[in-house]
Amino acid sequence: MTKLAKWGLPLPATIAVVVLLIIPVALTIATTFGEAKGAFSTYAAFFNSGFRRAVLFRTLEVALITTALSLVIGFVTAYVIAQMPGRLKSIMIIAAVFPLLTGVVVRSFAWLIILGKNGIVNDTLMSIGLITEPLSMLYTEGSVIVAMVYLFVPLMILTLTGVLEGIPRDLTEASASLGAKPIPTFLQVILPLATPGLIVGAVLVFTGSFTSYATPQLLGGEKQMMMGTFLYQRAMVTFDWVGASTVAAIMVVITIAIVSIMSRIARRLNPMAV
Amino acid sequence: MPTRVHPLLGAFAALVFLFLLAPLVIIVGASLSDTTYLTFPPQGLSLRWFANIFQIEAFRRTAITSLQVAFLGTALSLLIGVPAAYALNRYRVELPRWLSTLFVLPILVPEIVFGFSLLKSITIGSGLPVFPSLILGHALLVLPYSVRVVGASLASFDFSIEEAAMSLGCPPLRTFLTVVLPNIQAGVIAAFILAFITSINDVSVSVFLTGPGISTLPIQILAHMEQFFDPTIASVSVLLMLVTVGVMAIIEATLGLTFLTK
């Protein structure tokens, strides 16, 4: 009876993951090796194309910049939140959760209103006479990065608030009572203890922005093609399924590599680990 | 930690919250504009773009599809996820570790890759119609919530209560429904809500699984935006934000919003 329950209860979910996720994704990756021209010919074609290399590097660049900016903004904000008294803290957490739970389409759309030709930024700059012609801010790498940072900062704030709240007060108090000033306390006590959390946040944001679709679609368009939008375009516009599968395989490999390397580093750096 | 915050840090955080909330306020403002184009601050106040949403049949139809997919997908994910979470906690030491990793895979695999692969293998490869494909895709997308959030609830459940009920002759299913489930109720509700909102907002998986006459609301919004840039989209966005408010109220009432920082 116990044996039946032990293996039977997780069985439906296991079958679902295997049949709907593992097998389909494995088949997608497998098709990239089935070309008549040789097993790696689609990858050679990908990396020999200047356009496709540019898509990959642009995606990596956007993801890295987004991660770095989100880390700094999220960490400072979470640090402030963690030190706020109860009521103010709850309000700040609510203010971070609200955008997080609002959909990616809505949140990206906001930046179309802000950065568009007749958007607020252009209107303001023109009315104070700084520019005479509206600037083209949409469909640039910058507009994608701004919207991505906007997308991921709440996630970073919530992750890091949890981490900073978990640092025992005794430790910082001990550091202060032994004469350490706030900055050394921050650098030598808080930062090392928060590092595993920073890594978790960085991985979430990097993989999220590296594989995003809606934001680059709306704010980057055809001009700033990224891996997600490129995959979609290959699959659904040009119906080049092998090409799309190659993009998919590269995305999977990079994502899994980042996650496994970073989680290994996080485990090694964790000063709380026994 | 010291309870004093340097004024510069406080000012920085205030700017961050302005950055986070101003765009949403701008959407609300733009939705009320009496113009045929999107603008902020609104010129003239009007609710006509909200009325316009209901004139557009595609929005109504896709909103219903989105709700159906989110309800059915989330229900399905709980139906298979809760037993899995139960087993992972109840038989923690006996079950292999890879099993719990398996249920996190839908987070690890890029959504857009998952959507594309599902289209290739299940919808086209196995000839499954679009609607059930969408439900299965969303069920899998949100499965990690069902397993992990319910799992977190189960982790603090004292299984000796369950043993007491069973040793007194209560059958297993009844024990689960009357003893275990009431104890993990908050976790199940929170999992449902988080899964539901993830499903409602999803783009990357749904974008591949829309067929003739079937689409979800976010995909319809994207399609509408490519053709029209009028305040209708802002109005739809405001309605979606109201859904978010409702969701937050439910999370606060069940687990408390601070749960999200854990």
Side-chain angles (χ1 to χ4, degrees):
Chain A
M1 185 62 213
T2 308
K3 207 176 166 94
L4 190 70
K6 188 170 73 180
W7 293 103
L9 290 174
L11 193 64
T14 309
I15 292 174
V17 174
V18 172
V19 172
L20 296 173
L21 183 79
I22 296 180
I23 293 177
V25 172
L27 285 176
T28 295
I29 295 174
T31 53
T32 63
F33 296 109
E35 287 295 274
K37 281 177 266 172
F40 288 94
S41 61
T42 65
Y43 294 94
F46 184 95
F47 286 102
N48 281 329
S49 150
F51 175 76
R52 293 172 195 205
R53 269 204 315 269
V55 169
L56 176 62
F57 289 142
R58 181 183 301 124
T59 313
L60 286 170
E61 186 177 74
V62 168
L64 269 177
I65 297 174
T66 303
T67 307
L69 289 174
S70 306
L71 266 178
V72 174
I73 297 173
F75 191 47
V76 174
T77 313
Y79 181 76
V80 173
I81 293 178
Q83 305 191 45
M84 286 293 148
R87 203 177 162 72
L88 204 53
K89 185 186 286 177
S90 315
I91 293 173
M92 288 170 119
I93 288 175
I94 289 171
V97 169
F98 186 71
L100 184 72
L101 295 180
T102 304
V104 54
V105 171
V106 173
R107 286 193 283 162
S108 304
F109 163 69
W111 291 96
L112 286 179
I113 312 181
I114 299 171
L115 300 174
K117 270 238 152 36
N118 305 307
I120 304 159
V121 175
N122 270 326
D123 279 359
T124 315
L125 290 177
M126 299 230 288
S127 67
I128 57 173
L130 267 177
I131 51 170
T132 48
E133 289 285 299
L135 302 171
S136 309
M137 284 172 287
L138 287 181
Y139 315 117
T140 60
E141 212 174 289
S143 62
V144 178
I145 292 172
V146 169
M148 290 258 203
V149 170
Y150 181 66
L151 208 57
F152 289 109
V153 159
L155 181 67
M156 197 67 109
I157 291 178
L158 290 175
T159 307
L160 295 178
T161 303
V163 170
L164 289 171
E165 299 256 271
I167 296 176
R169 240 159 226 274
D170 304 357
L171 292 178
T172 47
E173 274 166 17
S175 165
S177 73
L178 291 170
K181 295 240 155 46
I183 289 174
T185 300
F186 176 81
L187 290 176
Q188 290 169 24
V189 180
I190 297 173
L191 197 58
L193 288 169
T195 301
L198 288 167
I199 292 176
V200 169
V203 169
L204 287 175
V205 174
F206 185 87
T207 54
S209 47
F210 182 70
T211 63
S212 62
Y213 168 76
T215 308
Q217 169 71 22
L218 280 173
L219 290 143
E222 298 267 308
K223 280 193 204 158
Q224 304 294 332
M225 196 74 89
M226 289 181 38
M227 290 296 269
T229 44
F230 186 53
L231 193 167
Y232 181 80
Q233 193 237 29
R234 285 280 110 188
M236 307 303 273
V237 182
T238 59
F239 296 106
D240 168 17
W241 281 24
V242 175
S245 301
T246 309
V247 177
I250 295 171
M251 286 172 89
V252 169
V253 168
I254 292 181
T255 309
I256 291 179
I258 297 272
V259 170
S260 49
I261 292 170
M262 294 307 271
S263 56
R264 202 152 297 171
I265 294 175
R267 224 172 296 146
R268 190 162 303 171
L269 284 179
N270 190 355
M272 300 290 252
V274 186
Chain B
M1 249 185 244
T3 39
R4 258 193 344 228
V5 174
H6 194 282
L8 271 180
L9 290 183
F12 182 86
L15 280 177
V16 171
F17 281 108
L18 184 70
F19 169 68
L20 288 182
L21 299 177
L24 302 176
V25 173
I26 287 168
I27 291 181
V28 176
S31 76
L32 296 170
S33 183
D34 197 17
T35 50
T36 53
Y37 50 92
L38 274 164
T39 184
F40 184 90
Q43 294 166 14
L45 286 179
S46 156
L47 287 175
R48 67 178 166 124
W49 298 108
F50 284 91
N52 193 43
I53 302 173
F54 299 96
Q55 307 280 311
I56 302 174
E57 204 262 328
F59 279 132
R60 207 180 332 149
R61 199 184 55 230
T62 54
I64 292 170
T65 308
S66 273
L67 287 172
Q68 287 171 331
V69 168
F71 265 114
L72 295 172
T74 302
L76 184 60
S77 88
L78 283 171
L79 205 62
I80 61 176
V82 173
Y86 172 85
L88 285 176
N89 277 279
R90 178 74 177 76
Y91 311 108
R92 188 183 319 230
V93 278
E94 298 148 74
L95 284 172
R97 287 214 3 223
W98 56 261
L99 202 58
S100 56
T101 315
L102 190 76
F103 301 127
V104 207
L105 271 185
I107 298 179
L108 203 63
V109 174
E111 268 183 54
I112 188 128
V113 173
F114 171 51
F116 172 57
S117 303
L118 206 60
L119 167 75
K120 250 170 48 130
S121 308
I122 306 294
T123 316
I124 293 177
S126 312
L128 193 70
V130 172
F131 190 64
S133 300
L134 259 177
I135 294 172
L136 289 178
H138 280 233
L140 210 68
L141 180 71
V142 301
L143 182 65
Y145 290 109
S146 300
V147 176
R148 298 186 70 186
V149 177
V150 174
S153 252
L154 278 164
S156 53
F157 174 71
D158 182 0
F159 282 99
S160 61
I161 309 174
E162 184 200 49
E163 267 164 44
M166 296 235 256
S167 70
L168 290 170
C170 190
L173 186 63
R174 197 164 153 217
T175 308
F176 180 79
L177 293 175
T178 57
V179 177
V180 183
L181 203 55
N183 278 291
I184 58 166
Q185 200 180 14
V188 175
I189 294 172
F192 185 92
I193 284 297
L194 287 173
F196 190 83
I197 193 92
T198 305
S199 166
I200 280 276
N201 287 331
D202 173 74
V203 172
S204 297
V205 174
S206 312
V207 79
F208 290 102
L209 302 176
T210 50
I214 294 184
S215 188
T216 64
L217 187 56
I219 305 301
Q220 179 59 34
I221 295 176
L222 284 176
H224 185 92
M225 255 190 270
E226 277 175 16
Q227 292 175 34
F228 313 96
F229 205 62
D230 62 33
T232 311
I233 297 295
S235 312
V236 177
S237 302
V238 171
L239 293 187
L240 287 172
M241 284 192 255
L242 289 178
V243 174
T244 310
V245 172
V247 161
M248 285 177 69
I250 299 175
I251 298 178
E252 177 64 26
T254 49
L255 288 185
L257 282 169
T258 48
F259 159 80
L260 292 172
T261 63
K262 274 164 204 149

